[in-house]
Amino acid sequence: MRVGISISAVSMGIMLICGCTSNISPTSYSVGSVGQVNRTVAAKVISVRPVQIDGTNAAGGTVGGALGATAGSGIGGSDRANIAGALAGAVVGAIAGAAIEKNATKQSGLEYVVQTENNNLMTVVQGSDPAFSVNDKVLVLYGSPSRLIPDPRP
């Protein structure tokens, strides 16, 4: 029975970790951003390159460690063996959880270097949709996160 509970707990933990992928789309806003005024400046794309975005936030290691400790505590027939199993399970679970999270939250994105109308250079990393090319006119929206959107002006 204890093994069935541990397997269920590990499965739920992995689903939690995989659900932690950050939304890097420039078309999505958090609830806290609604109604906020942000500065916007016009710019031109001068460089584009693909990048990998790691979305780790330590949740995988934490969840994996807790689940590993729970699963490992059932090992052995004495209190000492249960404690040793819990410690070993926590270490192995934390390592496995961190690795699962790193792979599950990895995303592709684009790094843009843009030059504003007053010749300042800025770098913005965001998801690959929409994609911009060198010399495209864009608007840089300051905020958290900052983002690029197409400049609709002629």
Side-chain angles (χ1 to χ4, degrees), residues 24-35:
I24 58 172
S25 170
T27 60
S28 297
Y29 286 83
S30 68
V31 171
S33 296
V34 175

Side-chain angles (χ1 to χ4, degrees), residues 5 129 136 138:
I5 292 171
D129 185 31
D136 281 355
V138 295

Side-chain angles (χ1 to χ4, degrees), residues 34-56:
V34 175
Q36 297 295 315
V37 175
N38 291 317
R39 183 172 178 232
T40 303
V41 296
K44 180 173 76 170
V45 176
I46 63 169
S47 171
V48 181
R49 73 180 181 124
V51 295
Q52 281 297 113
I53 302 166
D54 291 330
T56 58

Side-chain angles (χ1 to χ4, degrees), residues 9-31:
V10 169
S11 298
M12 287 180 59
I14 290 171
M15 288 188 295
L16 278 172
I17 292 167
C18 293
C20 295
T21 303
S22 297
N23 185 351
I24 58 172
S25 170
T27 60
S28 297
Y29 286 83
S30 68
V31 171

Side-chain angles (χ1 to χ4, degrees), residues 68-89:
T70 302
S73 67
I75 295 174
S78 68
D79 289 342
R80 178 175 268 167
N82 290 350
I83 292 170
L87 291 173

